[in-house]
Amino acid sequence: MGSIRLESVRKVFGDAEVIPGVDLKINDGEFIVFVGPSGCGKSTLLRLIAGLEDLTGGKVLIDDKDVTGNAPAKRRLAMVFQSYALYPHMSVFNNIAFPLKMAEMEKTAIDKKVRDAADTLNLTDYLHRKPGQLSGGQRQRVAIGRAIVREPVAFLFDEPLSNLDAALRVNMRHEISQLHHQLNTTMIYVTHDQVEAMTLADRIVVLNEGRVEQFGSPLQLYQKPSNRFVAGFIGSPMMNFIEGPTAAEHDAHTIGVRPEHIIVSKKKGTWSGVVTIAEHLGADTFLRVECGAIGTITARASGEFTVGYGDTVFLTPDSKKTYRFDKNGRTIGHRPQQADTTGNQKTP
Amino acid sequence: MATAHTRTLSRLMIAPSVVMLLAWMAIPLAMTIYFSFQRYNLLNPSRRRFAGWFNYEFFVTDPAFFAALTNTLVLVGGVLVITIVGGILFALLLDQPIFGQGIVRILFISPFFIMPTVSALIWKNMMMNPVFGIFANIAKSLGLQPIDWFASVPLLSIIIIVAWQWLPFATLILLTALQSLDSEQRDAAEMDGAKPVALFFYITLPHMSRAITVVVLIETIFLLSIFAEILVTTNGGPGVASTNLTFLIYARALLQFDVGGAAAGGIIAVILANIVAIFLIRMIGKNLEA
Amino acid sequence: MARAMGLRRRIGFTFLAWGIGLIVFFPIFWMLLTSFKTEGDAIASPPLLFYAATIENYLEVLARSNYFKHFMNSVIIAGGSTILALIVAIPAAWSMAFSPTKQTKNILMWMLSTKMLPPVGVLVPIYLLFLQWGLLDTKFGLTIILMLINLPIVIWMLYTYFKEIPGEILEASRMDGAVLWKEIIYVLLPMAVPGIASTMLLNVILAWNEAFWTLNLTAANAAPLTAFIAAFSSPEGLFWAKLSAASTMAIAPILILGWFSQRQLVRGLTFGAVK
């Protein structure tokens, strides 16, 4: 079991209100990602759940039990830290065994559990080594091993991949995803990388300035962002935002079009502009186009699209996939789940 | 950042240190202040009574006080000049590529680890003895009249001994600062055409300035309290020629048993040291922010 | 250094540095040399560089004086004050490094300021209190005093070492179910071993060589080596060879420890202001 509920959780550091009040309901077995720009409070929220920080107000419930006042160790959670936080003076075996020793488990049982975990994580050959003698990816696996032997009700990951290089990061991402499918335990994962969020999560919590901007499945966030912030944060390259008369034509303060929802043509289209940057990636071509009064627009053309610096191109936004926002940045028109905190449906 | 639980624990864990240091500092200091206003002599404890500013007046108007104050300042100043100038030169030297650098470092640093009474005795007997000492022998072999160090230049003799003890400290700290100088900065200055002398005054010295300040302040704190070297060599004499404030107060308290007078002197010493300490604490406090 | 340094220049600096180094070291060297001379050779003029060595002085110092007792006093006082200081300082440093509050900086500064208090400022009351409590000339009293005067340095050094240990590791141990004392014993202390060792080393050296309180608060009974040697300044002052032998035995252990602790000296005595 591992359902986690936050009820009007507040956190104030000195004069700074980092989390003004968050309600969240996470179901057992879900993979939840907290995503947002740096300083949005996502790590703080995770540490509040872990019990490494005190709540200023509100409650944390795990499996419907109030654990707000409990010490971290009493919450049956395991955490993987950004720096891995391995114990440098202990061998890999002892690192993984540490939580079990703290629980005063019997020696033979510890031995078996550590070996099983090492087996799953391909660490068997390294059990006698010190963390200093391991590569980044191996350290990461030790940290995960230390987390899984405790059989926690939920795993907490605090930007666990940000210290790895790009190739390894993709690998570890897949491993974590697989691990989730194997264990079926609740996982809460903090990252600033929306690609990690989109690829790993069952549901994503988009945070901004300590507020939950939206909570939903990756595709919900992509298709029906509840406001301008989410629309801009999810999706890469970022959605284009256009204000002024063009937006007024659509009865909106701002309109937004994703680069992939613009048809690029050399002959005709709604907007015309001059290419300032053309990135030919083979599968895609990304263009930055200077469109006069409309502003600079990023557009994606599928496949190879042979234009270069200074060429004129025409852009046509897909009107069905044009988003409209009001003065406060809220989405107008379709009604997406606004900061859905009930979390009743489990979206795959 | 932590939980209330760990915060409470952390207060508990810091408490013993705070209580102990508070007791160590506040109680005796309060007593010293109290005694400084008492006429109180251990030889005649029954005649103890309130004395007003008498002890301070008596202590300050005593000619020995003025001599001791001057001696203290000369001692501190002399040792500072020798150790800073010598320390910079030695640090620059040790920063050069040298064969056997490790051993040379050990030679330079060793005097700091010698207990004050031993170094004072080595110097008093084997170096500065007017008949058998090394200096006397050197003077004789050059056909000069040997100097009777502790009789004719007692304060200078003590300055030499103390400087010998503290030169390693200055050298070591300045060398550490020197070695932390980014070599790219030096390279850049050289690319800009700086000659060695300019390099020293525009790059090296400013980089060391912070370390120099720290050395000055820390040495001052310790040098104000020089005691064993005087006790072992000159006993403050001849007369009061090598008596510093610390020694004068010691003599008042434990030789003349004048508790009140010694306490008044102690408070004066505390005030002097505080003037230095304020600067030092500011320096180190700035460092804490980083 | 990137640039190739001329060998000749290097040899020049080598000679200069060794020359000055030997001059600086000379008094210690001469003491060592004298300690193996007969009393007659010790005051020979011109001084003897080569002579028939004898260990007579060492034997005599060990046999005739209470050298061993004073040596043990030094060991007990320096060692005891160091261990006590560590016991008090480790929790304090833990608290300041890993659970800092707004006052932490001020507390650290205030602790530093107690180190600035000149000992003569409190000589009178401490002497009187010791007199009253019967602590004069006791190892216990001196141990406490030396612990107190070095406590700020010990806390500061430990604090700077602890600061270098990532807090995440301690948090990880908390998540893993370690209660505070287990966190400190199993995780913090093993990681801080080098720092703690350096701190101990420096503190032992400072306590061993402390010569204000040891001279003023002890007599025959609890006198450590500093006071024992000071007694040579009077009548036995003329017996240089024996004085040298006793001095050599007094400084040898600390001199060797000192060679190992040069770096810590910088960190400890400058309160981290120079690294």
Side-chain angles (χ1 to χ4, degrees):
Chain A
M1 291 304 287
S3 72
I4 295 173
R5 213 161 73 225
L6 307 187
E7 287 179 2
S8 12
V9 164
R10 260 185 90 230
K11 180 66 187 176
V12 177
F13 285 123
D15 306 327
E17 188 170 48
V18 183
I19 314 262
V22 165
D23 289 284
L24 213 57
K25 186 164 182 288
I26 295 166
N27 299 317
D28 181 33
E30 262 190 309
F31 199 123
I32 298 293
V33 174
F34 292 173
V35 69
S38 64
C40 70
K42 55 190 189 298
S43 281
T44 308
L45 200 56
L46 192 74
R47 292 167 61 83
L48 289 170
I49 296 172
L52 293 170
E53 301 281 354
D54 276 337
L55 279 75
T56 309
K59 273 193 223 168
V60 176
L61 296 97
I62 297 176
D63 288 336
D64 296 321
K65 270 188 301 258
D66 189 346
V67 296
T68 313
N70 289 12
K74 299 269 164 64
R75 299 189 182 196
R76 295 176 301 147
L77 303 172
M79 186 152 167
V80 175
F81 291 84
Q82 185 171 7
S83 64
Y84 321 136
L86 299 180
Y87 309 123
H89 55 290
M90 296 182 198
S91 65
V92 169
F93 182 95
N94 284 329
N95 260 283
I96 300 177
F98 188 76
L100 304 177
K101 283 183 186 164
M102 290 299 113
E104 284 163 9
M105 192 181 272
E106 197 204 341
K107 234 179 158 201
T108 47
I110 294 181
D111 201 70
K112 180 171 182 332
K113 282 198 167 228
V114 173
R115 289 189 193 281
D116 286 350
D119 208 38
T120 343
L121 294 163
N122 283 326
L123 286 168
T124 309
D125 295 341
Y126 305 100
L127 281 175
H128 56 277
R129 294 217 192 157
K130 292 274 171 70
Q133 299 164 300
L134 301 179
S135 70
Q138 288 164 340
R139 284 181 210 183
Q140 180 69 75
R141 281 205 284 268
V142 176
I144 293 173
R146 193 172 63 185
I148 61 178
V149 286
R150 299 182 57 200
E151 296 170 8
V153 296
F155 290 92
L156 310 177
F157 292 92
D158 189 6
E159 307 223 16
L161 304 185
S162 56
N163 284 342
L164 299 176
D165 63 53
L168 205 52
R169 206 176 313 169
V170 175
N171 258 334
M172 285 308 299
R173 203 169 78 201
H174 294 160
E175 285 188 30
I176 290 174
S177 178
Q178 262 175 5
L179 194 70
H180 180 239
H181 290 301
Q182 273 173 31
L183 301 174
N184 253 318
T185 309
T186 312
M187 292 188 175
I188 304 179
Y189 186 107
V190 163
T191 180
H192 61 269
D193 180 349
Q194 55 104 10
V195 176
E196 271 176 30
M198 296 293 279
T199 50
L200 284 170
D202 291 330
R203 286 195 295 163
I204 297 176
V205 178
V206 181
L207 286 159
N208 184 31
E209 291 172 356
R211 288 188 316 273
V212 175
E213 296 283 354
Q214 195 170 357
F215 182 27
S217 73
L219 283 179
Q220 267 173 0
L221 300 191
Y222 179 79
Q223 290 164 349
K224 296 177 175 177
S226 64
N227 55 41
R228 190 181 156 160
F229 179 82
V230 176
F233 198 80
I234 301 292
S236 168
M238 195 179 148
M239 182 185 277
N240 297 294
F241 293 106
I242 302 154
E243 295 178 2
T246 318
E249 284 171 26
H250 288 80
D251 249 352
H253 178 263
T254 311
I255 58 167
V257 195
R258 295 194 186 277
E260 55 269 38
H261 298 152
I262 294 174
I263 298 159
V264 189
S265 160
K266 290 182 200 170
K267 300 197 184 73
K268 62 180 170 59
T270 316
W271 304 324
S272 75
V274 180
V275 176
T276 54
I277 298 173
E279 295 172 328
H280 301 281
L281 302 180
D284 298 298
T285 304
F286 291 106
L287 303 173
R288 271 178 81 77
V289 183
E290 197 57 58
C291 293
I294 289 162
T296 306
I297 300 291
T298 307
R300 192 198 74 172
S302 207
E304 294 158 39
F305 190 83
T306 49
V307 288
Y309 177 81
D311 293 344
T312 301
V313 292
F314 297 90
L315 307 175
T316 311
D318 180 341
S319 61
K320 273 183 243 150
K321 289 177 177 167
T322 300
Y323 296 87
R324 301 186 303 141
F325 305 99
D326 66 18
K327 244 194 349 233
N328 301 319
R330 303 203 69 80
T331 308
I332 313 171
H334 70 76
R335 296 196 59 81
Q337 283 88 346
Q338 308 237 328
D340 172 16
T341 57
T342 52
N344 286 327
Q345 83 275 40
K346 184 179 171 187
T347 327
Chain B
M1 285 196 226
T3 62
H5 181 63
T6 50
R7 259 197 302 278
T8 315
L9 270 172
S10 93
R11 288 221 180 91
L12 273 176
M13 291 173 78
I14 206 170
S17 309
V18 172
V19 170
M20 280 182 180
L21 286 174
L22 198 64
W24 162 240
M25 187 161 96
I27 296 172
L29 203 56
M31 285 173 75
T32 307
I33 292 172
Y34 170 74
F35 286 138
S36 72
F37 292 106
Q38 297 280 312
R39 186 166 292 183
Y40 182 17
N41 193 306
L42 284 184
L43 296 177
N44 210 340
S46 56
R47 283 180 46 201
R48 178 169 160 186
R49 62 192 149 84
F50 182 70
W53 293 95
F54 171 80
N55 286 319
Y56 287 95
E57 264 181 67
F58 185 77
F59 195 86
V60 171
T61 51
D62 181 355
F65 168 72
F66 189 70
L69 192 61
T70 321
N71 288 340
T72 306
L73 296 179
V74 171
L75 177 61
V76 173
V79 174
L80 278 180
V81 170
I82 297 173
T83 55
I84 295 293
V85 174
I88 291 173
L89 293 176
F90 287 0
L92 287 171
L93 180 61
L94 287 178
D95 196 33
Q96 305 297 328
I98 292 167
F99 292 107
Q101 191 146 28
I103 302 172
V104 177
R105 258 178 91 114
I106 284 177
L107 293 180
F108 271 95
I109 191 71
S110 292
F112 191 77
F113 301 115
I114 308 298
M115 56 177 66
T117 45
V118 167
S119 50
L121 283 179
I122 299 177
W123 280 87
K124 178 188 178 187
N125 292 316
M126 280 165 276
M127 296 292 123
M128 293 175 163
N129 183 294
V131 183
F132 308 112
I134 294 289
F135 290 164
N137 275 300
I138 292 172
K140 270 184 273 178
S141 70
L142 296 173
L144 301 169
Q145 180 68 33
I147 307 167
D148 187 354
W149 289 87
F150 292 103
S152 49
V153 281
L155 195 57
L156 177 66
S157 308
I158 287 166
I159 289 175
I160 291 172
I161 297 173
V162 177
W164 178 73
Q165 286 178 293
W166 283 92
L167 194 52
F169 174 77
T171 305
L172 192 63
I173 285 182
L174 296 173
L175 181 62
T176 307
L178 202 56
Q179 284 169 341
S180 73
L181 177 60
D182 184 7
S183 71
E184 279 190 4
Q185 213 185 95
R186 220 183 306 202
D187 291 346
E190 262 180 274
M191 293 294 289
D192 291 341
K195 298 249 163 19
V197 175
L199 208 61
F200 175 75
F201 281 104
Y202 289 108
I203 306 288
T204 313
L205 203 56
H207 175 76
M208 285 204 288
S209 64
R210 179 191 170 78
I212 293 173
T213 321
V214 171
V215 171
V216 168
L217 294 170
I218 294 201
E219 280 194 15
T220 307
I221 295 293
F222 281 91
L223 296 177
L224 283 173
S225 303
I226 287 293
F227 174 73
E229 291 84 346
I230 298 174
L231 178 77
V232 169
T233 55
T234 64
N235 237 317
V240 288
S242 61
T243 296
N244 68 354
L245 211 48
T246 301
F247 197 84
L248 183 69
I249 297 162
Y250 150 82
R252 267 292 138 72
L254 300 189
L255 300 182
Q256 297 164 23
F257 299 103
D258 176 7
V259 171
I267 294 303
I268 292 170
V270 170
I271 291 167
L272 278 181
N274 268 334
I275 295 169
V276 181
I278 287 167
F279 288 103
L280 183 57
I281 286 179
R282 279 218 189 122
M283 286 274 317
I284 292 171
K286 261 185 214 147
N287 195 53
L288 256 191
E289 328 250 290
Chain C
M1 212 171 269
R3 149 185 55 141
M5 175 71 72
L7 185 65
R8 192 185 282 182
R9 209 174 142 194
R10 185 167 177 174
I11 290 172
F13 278 125
T14 300
F15 269 102
L16 191 61
W18 274 90
I20 297 175
L22 288 172
I23 292 174
V24 169
F25 191 74
F26 179 79
I28 301 169
F29 167 75
W30 195 250
M31 175 191 74
L32 192 66
L33 217 58
T34 308
S35 73
F36 292 105
K37 290 179 179 175
T38 61
E39 292 295 352
D41 284 348
I43 54 170
S45 184
L48 294 173
L49 198 53
F50 301 100
Y51 57 91
T54 169
I55 56 164
E56 197 59 32
N57 302 308
Y58 288 89
L59 297 177
E60 204 156 322
V61 168
L62 288 174
R64 294 238 312 252
S65 66
N66 274 325
Y67 172 82
F68 191 70
K69 178 176 124 190
H70 299 298
F71 177 82
M72 283 318 290
N73 284 348
S74 272
V75 170
I76 290 166
I77 291 165
S81 70
T82 302
I83 289 165
L84 281 180
L86 280 177
I87 291 171
V88 179
I90 286 174
W94 171 88
S95 151
M96 291 191 282
F98 299 114
S99 178
T101 63
K102 274 183 212 143
Q103 299 95 39
T104 299
K105 200 189 138 186
N106 293 331
I107 293 176
L108 272 166
M109 283 299 130
W110 168 75
M111 286 181 170
L112 171 68
S113 75
T114 66
K115 188 71 198 148
M116 314 277 150
L117 184 72
V120 281
V122 292
L123 172 65
V124 171
I126 293 290
Y127 187 86
L128 293 177
L129 288 174
F130 267 45
L131 191 66
Q132 199 172 351
W133 295 337
L135 285 175
L136 278 179
D137 202 20
T138 61
K139 290 189 277 283
F140 175 75
L142 206 54
T143 304
I144 298 296
I145 293 280
L146 290 194
M147 177 202 101
L148 288 168
I149 61 172
N150 286 331
L151 191 58
I153 291 188
V154 174
I155 292 176
W156 266 77
M157 276 185 81
L158 290 176
Y159 169 77
T160 60
Y161 282 113
F162 286 180
K163 281 277 273 199
E164 286 170 13
I165 293 172
E168 275 197 352
I169 293 186
L170 299 188
E171 289 181 347
S173 78
R174 251 170 258 171
M175 291 296 296
D176 284 345
V179 291
L180 183 65
W181 68 269
K182 284 185 174 172
E183 170 187 329
I184 291 184
I185 304 250
Y186 292 122
V187 180
L188 175 63
L189 293 188
M191 287 177 71
V193 161
I196 292 171
S198 315
T199 309
M200 271 181 87
L201 211 58
L202 180 64
N203 196 61
V204 166
I205 293 170
L206 291 176
W208 188 278
N209 289 344
E210 203 287 328
F212 181 80
W213 295 109
T214 51
L215 290 175
N216 281 317
L217 297 182
T218 63
N221 188 33
L225 288 168
T226 43
F228 167 70
I229 297 290
F232 269 89
S233 64
S234 21
E236 291 96 343
L238 287 175
F239 297 103
W240 290 7
K242 276 188 259 323
L243 164 67
S244 296
S247 298
T248 304
M249 287 191 287
I251 63 164
I254 248 43
L255 190 58
I256 292 162
L257 282 187
W259 290 339
F260 289 109
S261 64
Q262 299 173 40
R263 292 264 163 214
Q264 291 68 19
L265 182 83
V266 175
R267 190 177 192 135
L269 283 185
T270 63
F271 292 92
V274 175
K275 277 180 195 142

